[in-house]
Amino acid sequence: MLRAILGSDSTNDSQEEQSQTATSSHNSRHYSGGSGCRSASSSAVLSGRSSSASTTNYDYGTPATVAPSTGPTQCVACEADKHHQLQQAHHSHHSSEGERKSRRSRMSHSSSSSMRGTSSRGCTSNNSKSVSPGSYSCNALNVDFSTYTATHQWSKMLECAEFVGAKRSKHTVVAYKDAMYVFGGDNGKTMLNDLIRFGVKDKSWGRACATGTPPAPRYHHSAVVYGNSMFIFGGYTGDIHSNSNLTNKNDLFEYEFQRAMWVEWKFSGKMPVPRSAHGAAVYDDKMWIYAGYDGNARLNDMWTLNLTGENHQWEEVEQKGDCPPTCCNFPVAVARDCMYVFSGQSGMQITNSLFEFNFKTLTWRRIGNESVLRGVSSQPPSRRYGHTMVHHDRFLYVFGGSADSTLPNDLHYYDLDTQVWSIIQPEPNSDIPSGRVFHASAVISDAMYIFGGTVDNSVRRGDTYRFQFSSYPKCTLRDDYGKFFNEKQFCDIQFILGPEEVKIMAHIAFVAARSKYLRTKILAARDARQQQMEKVFGSGIEVRTCSTSSNQGPLLEVRLPNANPEAFEIILNYIYTDRIDLKESYNKNIIILITDIYQLAGLFLMPRLAHGCIQYLDYKINKQNVLEALYNADKKKIQIVKDHCMQFLVKEENFTDVVMSNEFSDLDKPLLVEIIRKKLSPGKLVVADPNLDKNVGTTLESDMAVFLESSGKEFCDINLVLDGQVIQAHKSILSARTQYFQAMFRSFMPPDNTVNISIGDILPSVEAFQSLLRYIYYGETKLPPQDALYLFQAPHFYGLSNNRLHSFCKYSLEHNITYENVLQTLEASDYTKIFDIKEHALKLIVKDFARVARLPKIACLSRELLLEIIRAVADSHACFAFSIGLAAKGGQQQQQCCLTP
């Protein structure tokens, strides 16, 4: 089965401790992206594991169960060589296989099938039919349709009964093996110190056995798991309705799961001050305590305790780097040798900043929210406190909390690889928990469990929710395109920039797809060169623009005399990746560079990039660079940037320091006068709100989708021939995403710009190959199951960066086979010899035969498949009649038994 992939209390100022959060910390699960040789057997590709015949260490993500390999391994370059050498053989093969081709031409694509339809719950046969060695087959693909849980689906679990454990908030939750353990908190009346357990397999609640002296009742403590023990540190104890005896603690208790025993640890020497609402984590056999509230003030100190050996002594950590402010009510999560802290309460400043602490270097790093650096559409969750954050795979998941007097229930996630925030859209049939604060969460296997918390009107809850994660390999679209741009392979255009005529090479397809202005420039340059060539050589001469080998024509040249070369190169990087990566350390020149990028973004009709530049400037302008940025914006007449600088300058906390700087006296007199007048009469500055339209402009995916479907037609430079049908495409995009085409075009460019298409030994349907092209161009993963059957081998055969497509193929088969597309699925599984899917399709046809028989597609099936359907229906009726007979016979025997005196 496809593993699941790719979260208030009444308070007042004098009782700040009652507005703090407890935080659970979980052991880190590291994500590693595989790489290495692409040589692998087809079965190793489909299983995601190295077989005995393969030495690949290729990351293929979620595995499928597949039959062992029966053929030799092949690398992608060899596949491309073989493909080119057998071009004519393929043509003759197609003509000799007329019957198969005729049959293939009858196969249609179901356009009405839902991409995310209801999962079928049939039972799949385990009887695998053998196939000939070397043929493309997944005949042992044992897809389990009976226990499938949709990814990104919320499910409500059994609520904890009051006699087991009270409804609560400010408690802690930890995961140990297949169970979730809840300790402490408060029920709105008293503090608690009970320990209750929820088993995820039997889905039941119970009280955990415990001997020894437990910790005193408390809330806003921390809990972590190390080895076979849970450790409880600190928190508040006392009467929640009385300030006089509320006490912060710094004690440490260990609960040994295997012995069900509480043990208190005793210390001598220096210790952390008593605290609550702090963060706790485990790393390198140590417990780490960070920040919190000591009853009078918020903290940002860090302490560590060795949990092994005999020397148990607290040590204070000397933190380096960009430390977070003093804070409480924040969650922490551990991933990849780092601890992450998101948002929380810092006095009146509740922020939405994400901070990273590297355990090895003891250094903090603030992960900036300037979304232009990682994709303009990336927006962090709103500022909040009392929320939870957990780590799974390569993601950090944030749920709930109190956000500006609201209790949101959306689920945000942060991708550690791409450094981008996103919001998860849950499955339509999800039972989504209500917004809450001071709840707790834990990760068990491939799901997150949330328990308790406070909802509106300070009502405590005792409900439990499960969220099914996704673990698909990451999308490599931006990485593939960015690498291709940096390597400068197959460049077919050269931009000549500025008065110094700096030359930068690129690819026509990418530039034309992202900028209408540059697309017009490219077409004009192409027409001008064609006219020039016709003047010299006569009409009918066509110039080819790719310069990858000596027998190709020159690069197409486009002149941009007013463009800053450095800014333009950064924009080119954005065109390929949707990101701006400023590799230099931040300084005044970076602000000027961003201003230049903003100006070019407006010229090139790229509003999303321009919007991101304004966001970045708003975030980065400070006392040291504001005058330089103001001067540059005034000189280039960029009013919006100038207004941002003016707005920063006239603030009371900034004005004096800036005016007293040496740079201030160097400004031109008109600008000095404008600053002074603006300070004396600030009025209302008209500055665009960076958050006004977060979705302005278009993304890389949307631009490439439009380019594939329509606007890119006049830039096509390769013909892909499939089953006699010509599909036009772009060499540079195919090369950027697939090693197969990259090796082919590098070694031997097809002389007639024509490539015959197959996937291994089979011809995919035209519709399936169109699904593959959508994945190649813009990462589209929604595909119907009949297409998925053809594309199982595509990641290996074409040399895609990882097995993300394969994972979504399997997902589609598990989730999207419905009565509307079951006939297409049956036909495709018969053609590809994936017999488990064929058996499942037959079961669905029998189950819903009345509706399936009325589909127009049934008239297009082959005689053999129609006979199989008839036999399956007949077998079903025979089994039904037999069961009725047994039931009737059993009833007669029972009646006779009752009549017997």
Side-chain angles (χ1 to χ4, degrees):
M1 184 186 74
L2 175 65
R3 296 291 303 276
I5 188 176
L6 184 81
S8 94
D9 289 356
S10 57
T11 61
N12 55 55
D13 293 338
S14 62
Q15 287 183 300
E16 184 177 357
E17 63 276 5
Q18 293 191 29
S19 64
Q20 304 169 351
T21 186
T23 308
S24 298
S25 178
H26 313 289
N27 291 333
S28 168
R29 294 184 60 186
H30 296 276
Y31 173 87
S32 59
S35 61
C37 178
R38 282 358 184 224
S39 175
S41 65
S42 60
S43 67
V45 171
L46 294 171
S47 67
R49 301 186 177 115
S50 298
S51 68
S52 58
S54 172
T55 59
T56 183
N57 192 27
Y58 194 21
D59 174 24
Y60 278 127
T62 306
T65 305
V66 188
S69 174
T70 56
T73 62
Q74 285 276 19
C75 72
V76 175
C78 292
E79 293 281 1
D81 291 341
K82 177 183 175 183
H83 192 283
H84 176 70
Q85 293 165 5
L86 297 179
Q87 288 285 297
Q88 297 301 322
H90 270 289
H91 282 297
S92 61
H93 171 71
H94 295 332
S95 61
S96 65
E97 292 290 334
E99 182 179 352
R100 183 177 75 169
K101 186 173 179 180
S102 175
R103 179 186 170 197
R104 283 285 301 107
S105 65
R106 294 196 306 267
M107 298 182 68
S108 63
H109 185 72
S110 175
S111 59
S112 61
S113 59
S114 171
M115 292 299 98
R116 299 183 66 81
T118 304
S119 175
S120 300
R121 301 291 182 182
C123 184
T124 223
S125 171
N126 291 326
N127 298 326
S128 299
K129 299 178 176 62
S130 61
V131 293
S132 60
S135 65
Y136 167 54
S137 174
C138 302
N139 62 297
L141 180 67
N142 295 316
V143 182
D144 179 7
F145 292 91
S146 59
T147 59
Y148 178 71
T149 301
T151 59
H152 294 172
Q153 179 171 304
W154 285 102
S155 304
K156 188 172 184 180
M157 312 303 289
L158 178 68
E159 187 164 343
C160 184
E162 287 284 347
F163 70 87
V164 175
K167 300 176 181 179
R168 67 191 71 201
S169 67
K170 307 170 193 167
H171 51 287
T172 55
V173 164
V174 299
Y176 177 71
K177 294 187 176 179
D178 292 323
M180 175 175 67
Y181 289 81
V182 179
F183 176 78
D186 80 80
N187 61 5
K189 300 177 181 178
T190 60
M191 295 188 185
L192 307 169
N193 71 337
D194 56 340
L195 182 63
I196 57 178
R197 176 187 183 276
F198 178 75
V200 299
K201 288 187 175 179
D202 56 11
K203 299 181 176 62
S204 64
W205 282 98
R207 295 182 181 178
C209 298
T211 59
T213 304
R218 63 189 65 202
Y219 64 61
H220 283 325
H221 51 285
S222 62
V224 297
V225 169
Y226 174 74
N228 294 313
S229 296
M230 173 178 66
F231 293 87
I232 302 290
F233 175 81
Y236 258 129
T237 64
D239 184 355
I240 64 174
H241 297 293
S242 173
N243 285 333
S244 59
N245 68 348
L246 277 172
T247 306
N248 271 307
K249 304 289 287 184
N250 64 349
D251 50 2
L252 181 69
F253 285 82
E254 177 184 5
Y255 176 77
E256 300 179 27
F257 289 107
Q258 294 181 346
R259 296 201 299 165
M261 178 182 292
W262 285 105
V263 178
E264 182 177 4
W265 285 38
K266 299 296 183 181
F267 302 97
S268 60
K270 196 175 180 181
M271 293 183 63
V273 299
R275 68 190 65 205
S276 57
H278 52 281
V282 168
Y283 178 81
D284 193 26
D285 301 323
K286 297 177 182 178
M287 183 177 184
W288 302 70
I289 300 295
Y290 174 69
Y293 181 68
D294 68 359
N296 296 305
R298 297 176 181 86
L299 311 168
N300 68 346
D301 57 340
M302 184 180 291
W303 295 76
T304 185
L305 172 69
N306 196 333
L307 298 177
T308 61
E310 301 296 328
N311 182 23
H312 300 303
Q313 183 63 48
W314 285 102
E315 296 181 10
E316 187 167 7
V317 177
E318 183 178 349
Q319 306 169 69
K320 297 176 287 186
D322 190 3
C323 297
T326 56
C327 59
C328 60
N329 288 329
F330 58 89
V332 302
V334 175
R336 303 180 179 183
D337 302 318
C338 293
M339 178 176 72
Y340 293 88
V341 172
F342 174 73
S343 199
Q345 284 183 302
S346 300
M348 296 301 292
Q349 299 175 354
I350 304 173
T351 71
N352 67 338
S353 297
L354 179 65
F355 288 87
E356 176 190 83
F357 176 76
N358 189 297
F359 286 112
K360 293 183 176 180
T361 63
L362 306 181
T363 303
W364 284 101
R365 178 176 72 94
R366 183 179 184 276
I367 299 176
N369 292 340
E370 60 275 27
S371 54
V372 67
L373 297 181
R374 299 297 172 194
V376 179
S377 61
S378 169
Q379 296 292 334
S382 58
R383 60 184 188 176
R384 62 191 64 201
Y385 66 89
H387 49 295
T388 59
M389 180 169 66
V390 299
H391 166 244
H392 177 72
D393 196 27
R394 65 180 188 274
F395 303 107
L396 302 177
Y397 294 87
V398 173
F399 177 79
S402 178
D404 294 330
S405 302
T406 65
L407 298 178
N409 68 340
D410 46 5
L411 182 60
H412 297 256
Y413 67 97
Y414 180 77
D415 191 326
L416 295 170
D417 287 341
T418 63
Q419 302 183 41
V420 169
W421 282 102
S422 303
I423 297 179
I424 288 179
Q425 299 299 325
E427 281 287 310
N429 59 340
S430 287
D431 196 350
I432 303 174
S434 59
R436 59 195 62 209
V437 65
F438 301 138
H439 51 289
S441 60
V443 174
I444 302 176
S445 185
D446 53 5
M448 173 178 66
Y449 293 82
I450 287 177
F451 174 72
T454 300
V455 296
D456 289 334
N457 300 319
S458 298
V459 176
R460 271 67 172 176
R461 300 298 297 263
D463 47 4
T464 307
Y465 288 87
R466 179 184 189 273
F467 179 78
Q468 182 67 56
F469 287 129
S470 54
S471 298
Y472 301 123
K474 73 171 185 176
C475 178
T476 62
L477 185 73
R478 289 167 173 79
D479 294 339
D480 291 342
Y481 287 165
K483 180 181 178 183
F484 190 67
F485 170 66
N486 292 327
E487 291 177 348
K488 303 296 183 186
Q489 287 194 72
F490 311 115
C491 290
D492 50 13
I493 188 170
Q494 185 169 257
F495 291 95
I496 302 176
L497 308 161
E500 298 179 359
E501 296 193 342
V502 176
K503 296 178 180 179
I504 299 179
M505 294 190 299
H507 305 87
I508 290 175
F510 290 97
V511 177
R514 301 303 312 275
S515 169
K516 293 181 181 178
Y517 176 86
L518 294 176
R519 183 190 310 160
T520 303
K521 285 279 189 181
I522 291 170
L523 290 173
R526 193 168 70 177
D527 291 343
R529 188 175 67 176
Q530 185 68 28
Q531 292 173 10
Q532 180 64 27
M533 296 301 293
E534 289 179 354
K535 268 187 189 178
V536 176
F537 299 104
S539 60
I541 298 296
E542 182 180 354
V543 180
R544 300 175 67 178
T545 57
C546 183
S547 64
T548 54
S549 60
S550 58
N551 63 341
Q552 302 296 329
L555 291 163
L556 184 68
E557 291 187 350
V558 172
R559 293 182 177 273
L560 300 171
N562 297 321
N564 178 342
E566 186 178 7
F568 183 78
E569 187 158 21
I570 292 174
I571 288 178
L572 274 183
N573 186 73
Y574 173 83
I575 282 174
Y576 285 75
T577 67
D578 243 14
R579 304 171 190 153
I580 291 182
D581 290 319
L582 302 177
K583 299 178 175 60
E584 299 179 26
S585 60
Y586 154 61
N587 54 46
K588 290 185 290 187
N589 291 332
I590 294 295
I591 298 298
I592 297 173
L593 183 61
I594 289 295
T595 305
D596 290 340
I597 294 171
Y598 172 81
Q599 200 169 24
L600 286 178
L603 175 65
F604 295 162
L605 305 178
M606 302 172 70
R608 187 165 171 267
L609 175 58
H611 176 73
C613 290
I614 296 302
Q615 285 185 302
Y616 179 78
L617 288 172
D618 185 60
Y619 180 80
K620 281 296 187 183
I621 288 176
N622 60 26
K623 296 176 184 179
Q624 286 72 43
N625 61 42
V626 65
L627 293 177
E628 186 99 20
L630 177 64
Y631 174 80
N632 192 59
D634 181 64
K635 181 181 177 181
K636 296 186 177 182
K637 295 181 172 53
I638 307 176
Q639 189 61 40
I640 189 171
V641 176
K642 184 178 178 180
D643 287 345
H644 268 270
C645 295
M646 283 290 188
Q647 186 183 52
F648 181 88
L649 265 172
V650 299
K651 290 181 180 178
E652 195 66 39
E653 62 269 24
N654 301 328
F655 185 76
T656 302
D657 291 339
V658 175
V659 169
M660 296 301 293
S661 66
N662 295 329
E663 291 86 354
F664 186 77
S665 59
D666 295 334
L667 290 178
D668 295 337
K669 183 178 177 179
L671 201 53
L672 287 172
V673 172
E674 191 175 350
I675 293 172
I676 299 301
R677 287 177 177 173
K678 189 65 69 176
K679 175 61 179 175
L680 294 175
S681 179
K684 187 175 182 181
L685 291 172
V686 181
V687 179
D689 182 1
N691 298 315
L692 183 62
D693 186 0
K694 298 176 182 178
N695 299 314
V696 64
T698 52
T699 64
L700 175 65
E701 289 84 354
S702 61
D703 284 340
M704 297 307 292
V706 172
F707 193 70
L708 172 65
E709 302 299 333
S710 57
S711 64
K713 299 300 183 184
E714 56 189 329
F715 299 99
C716 291
D717 54 6
I718 191 74
N719 293 323
L720 308 176
V721 179
L722 174 60
D723 205 12
Q725 182 170 333
V726 176
I727 302 170
Q728 292 186 316
H730 307 85
K731 294 175 184 175
S732 57
I733 296 174
L734 296 177
S735 300
R737 292 280 277 162
T738 71
Q739 291 190 359
Y740 175 89
F741 284 109
Q742 187 177 123
M744 175 183 294
F745 298 151
R746 183 171 54 240
S747 302
F748 36 79
M749 190 70 67
D752 56 353
N753 274 350
T754 299
V755 176
N756 286 306
I757 293 299
S758 67
I759 301 178
D761 295 329
I762 70 164
L763 293 179
S765 67
V766 173
E767 295 81 11
F769 187 72
Q770 293 285 4
S771 290
L772 176 61
L773 283 181
R774 289 192 293 272
Y775 178 82
I776 289 173
Y777 273 68
Y778 56 96
E780 175 61 67
T781 54
K782 294 180 181 179
L783 68 164
Q786 62 268 25
D787 288 2
L789 287 165
Y790 290 107
L791 300 183
F792 262 105
Q793 200 181 10
H796 169 58
F797 183 79
Y798 285 108
L800 303 181
S801 294
N802 62 14
N803 212 31
R804 178 179 173 86
L805 178 62
H806 175 83
S807 296
F808 277 97
C809 286
K810 194 165 186 293
Y811 171 87
S812 180
L813 289 171
E814 290 182 318
H815 199 58
N816 289 335
I817 301 178
T818 67
Y819 88 93
E820 293 173 313
N821 58 38
V822 68
L823 294 176
Q824 286 90 343
T825 305
L826 174 70
E827 194 170 34
S829 61
D830 177 66
Y831 179 72
T832 56
K833 297 182 173 61
I834 303 180
F835 296 112
D836 278 349
I837 303 301
K838 183 178 179 180
E839 293 290 340
H840 178 68
L842 284 170
K843 289 179 183 293
L844 287 182
I845 292 170
V846 170
K847 182 181 177 181
D848 211 355
F849 184 73
R851 286 199 291 179
V852 173
R854 291 177 172 84
L855 294 173
K857 174 63 183 173
I858 200 166
C860 303
L861 294 182
S862 66
R863 180 175 180 276
E864 291 77 10
L865 284 179
L866 288 173
L867 286 175
E868 289 196 56
I869 292 174
I870 293 171
R871 292 190 189 102
V873 173
D875 290 344
S876 174
H877 280 279
C879 290
F880 178 75
F882 182 69
S883 62
I884 292 295
L886 286 179
K889 184 177 180 182
Q892 291 174 359
Q893 290 177 348
Q894 184 177 8
Q895 187 178 21
Q896 291 175 359
C897 199
C898 292
L899 295 174
T900 302

